[in-house]
Structure formats: C-alpha cells, structure tokens
C-alpha cells in the first residue's frame, strides 16, 4: 500500500492507496507548530480508528507548500510506518515538462494535480485549484505545463470582505437564486459565489483565446463544488486528483 500526503496552507490531506484504489482518506488542519511526535500521534490515531494494517504500507510520497511542516511530517511517517518518503520537487520525475521561468518555484500540489489530471483526462487541459488561493493552470496536449494565474481564494475573499466591512455579516457560501440580491446576505453571496464563477469563466475563455485550443476543464478543492455549478463552462470536479497525481508520480519514480 502507498501513503500519499498533500500538505496545503489550510489542510493536510492524506490518502492510502491499495494498488490504484484509494482506500482511506484523512484531512486535518495544517499547523506549523506541530512537532514530529505530534504528527506521529495523528497518524497512529488515524490508523487505529480505521483499523488499518499500516505494516502493509511500503511506500510514501509527500507534496508540500508549507516548508515548516514538511520535515516533521516526514519524520512522523518514518517513526510510525518505518518508510522513507519521496518529496515532490526538483529531481523527481512528474511526467510533465515545465515551460515556465523558474520551475523550482512551482508548488508540488499544482504539479501533482496537473499530472494526475493529464493521466486521467488527457490534454490539453485547464486545471483549477480552489483552496487558500485559486490557481488556474494550463497543460497542452504534449504534457507541457505553461503556467497560469494565481488569485485570492474564495474563503480569503469572503473573510476579507466581512472582516473589513463593519456592517457586513459572515455568511455561508450558498449560491443565491439570482444574481441581483435583495438583502445584504444574498448580495454578499452573489458577489462571492457568482463573482468567483465569472472570474473562472473569464479566465478559461482567455486561456482558450491565448492558446487557440479547446480544453478539458477540471477543478479540485473544497470550495470548488459550490462555485463551478454557477459557471457557464462544463467543469469536471475531481476531489482526489492531487492524491491520484501523487500516486502516479510515486510509481513513475519507483520504476
């Protein structure tokens, strides 16, 4: 079995694969102050709760955009499972060519998501990541990553709006029934949900104009389902594409 870990700014997502099948998933908050022993307790508890025979795990791979968390998590995995983890970054084969100015600065989650999406859906593709930031990336039909855009995430935008506006209440991200809100709550919802959907639609159209190519469009991230249903383009939601990309990269390098 294979342990995969996607360390994001907000959450750490773990997946355990048995062959090509994702058997177990876990998500917990990213905490830069946690020690390797504390991560080890989290891992051990996870295995106990789900009655996972972790002696069967003989491989591990990590993607991390939080450097302070990377080494403690690596150490914890080695403490609990006894395996040394691969880390997505320079020197590890992803199966994609990175045609950008500084390839070493590209986040591991973007690499894994794009690699996993290409393997699963083919290309050319536009990959949308909706987490702490909203990242939209383009991969051509020849597995070449050409870059993309980074925008404030939906959650960050909403938090900034309600924290800076004294009279604006906190709201959930439920899409309003119509674009024109008739009360403060629906106005905020429309601005955040429909505004994010319009931004994605607009960027997708500009990507296709720049490349003169129709693309498959894939989205992932916890907030993606609420937003893409308000988009005009046909967008496939794939919750586990980064974990699947990690699995693919592990076996590409293991071979």
């Amino acid at each position: 079995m294979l342990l995969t870990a996607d360390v994001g700014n907000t959450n750490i997502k773990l997946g355990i694969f048995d062959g090509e099948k994702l058997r177990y998933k876990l998500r917990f908050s990213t905490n830069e102050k946690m020690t390797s022993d504390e991560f080890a307790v989290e891992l051990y508890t996870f295995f106990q709760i789900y009655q996972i025979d972790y002696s069967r795990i003989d491989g591990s791979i990590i993607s991390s955009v939080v450097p302070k968390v990377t080494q403690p998590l690596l150490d914890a995995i080695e403490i609990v499972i006894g395996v040394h983890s691969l880390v997505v970054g320079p020197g590890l084969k992803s199966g994609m060519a990175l045609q950008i100015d500084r390839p070493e600065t590209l986040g591991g989650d973007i690499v894994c998501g794009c690699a996993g999406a290409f393997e699963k859906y083919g290309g050319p593709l536009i990959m949308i990541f909706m987490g702490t930031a909203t990242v939209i990336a383009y991969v051509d039909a020849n597995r070449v990553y050409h870059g993309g855009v980074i925008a404030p995430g939906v959650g960050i935008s909403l938090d900034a709006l309600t924290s800076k506006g004294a009279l604006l209440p906190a709201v959930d991200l439920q899409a309003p029934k119509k674009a024109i809100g008739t009360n403060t709550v629906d106005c905020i919802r429309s601005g955040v949900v429909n505004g994010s959907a319009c931004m994605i639609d607009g960027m997708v159209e500009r990507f296709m104009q720049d490349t003169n190519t129709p693309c498959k469009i894939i989205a992932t991230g916890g907030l993606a389902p609420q937003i893409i249903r308000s988009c005009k383009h046909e967008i496939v939601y794939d919750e586990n594409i980064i974990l699947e990309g990690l699995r693919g990269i592990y076996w590409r390098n293991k071979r």
Side-chain angles (χ1 to χ4, degrees):
M1 291 198 298
L2 174 67
L3 173 68
T4 58
D6 171 28
V7 181
N9 290 295
T10 305
N11 292 304
I12 298 173
K13 296 170 281 293
L14 300 181
I16 296 179
F17 286 87
D18 189 354
E20 295 185 357
K21 186 171 181 61
L22 181 59
R23 293 287 186 185
Y24 305 98
K25 290 192 301 181
L26 170 69
R27 180 193 300 262
F28 54 93
S29 297
T30 303
N31 184 347
E32 295 184 6
K33 296 182 179 180
M34 284 181 67
T35 66
S36 57
D37 291 336
E38 290 171 323
F39 277 120
V41 170
E42 292 275 4
L43 283 173
Y44 183 77
T45 303
F46 172 49
F47 296 141
Q48 294 301 309
I49 289 174
Y50 291 100
Q51 299 181 330
I52 299 169
D53 181 8
Y54 55 86
S55 66
R56 293 184 57 210
I57 299 175
D58 54 9
S60 174
I61 183 169
I62 289 178
S63 162
S64 176
V65 296
V66 188
K68 289 183 179 180
V69 169
T70 306
Q71 192 59 53
L73 184 57
L74 288 170
D75 293 339
I77 291 171
E78 195 152 5
I79 290 169
V80 177
I81 305 173
V83 299
H84 178 72
S85 303
L86 298 180
V87 180
V88 175
L92 213 61
K93 294 179 288 186
S94 67
M96 292 191 305
L98 305 181
Q99 192 171 311
I100 55 177
D101 296 336
R102 295 181 60 194
E104 72 277 6
T105 63
L106 183 61
D109 54 341
I110 308 303
V111 173
C112 295
C114 289
F118 194 97
E119 289 293 334
K120 191 170 183 177
Y121 302 100
L125 67 88
I126 294 172
M127 187 69 216
I128 303 168
F129 302 84
M130 302 196 71
T132 305
T134 296
V135 177
I136 308 175
Y138 172 69
V139 180
D140 71 18
N142 298 313
R143 294 178 178 264
V144 179
Y145 177 91
H146 289 270
V149 301
I150 303 174
V154 178
I156 286 178
S157 299
L158 179 60
D159 289 344
L161 180 65
T162 56
S163 65
K164 296 297 183 180
L167 297 179
L168 299 179
V171 302
D172 57 23
L173 284 175
Q174 177 183 346
K177 295 180 180 179
K178 55 184 181 179
I180 301 174
T182 55
N183 57 72
T184 302
V185 169
D186 281 347
C187 287
I188 294 173
R189 285 173 175 161
S190 184
V192 174
V193 176
N194 291 327
S196 297
C198 288
M199 184 273 287
I200 289 171
D201 279 328
M203 291 308 306
V204 164
E205 289 170 6
R206 292 190 180 211
F207 275 37
M208 292 186 182
Q209 287 172 2
D210 284 354
T211 61
N212 195 29
T213 305
C215 298
K216 301 176 179 69
I217 311 170
I218 318 299
T220 194
L223 296 175
Q226 295 97 313
I227 305 301
I228 63 174
R229 66 170 61 104
S230 297
C231 292
K232 294 180 179 180
H233 289 86
E234 182 179 346
I235 302 175
V236 176
Y237 174 64
D238 196 322
E239 179 184 6
N240 301 317
I241 198 63
I242 294 177
L243 297 179
E244 291 178 9
L246 279 163
R247 178 187 61 80
I249 291 173
Y250 175 85
W251 287 112
R252 180 179 293 273
N253 287 271
K254 189 71 172 177
R255 288 194 293 268

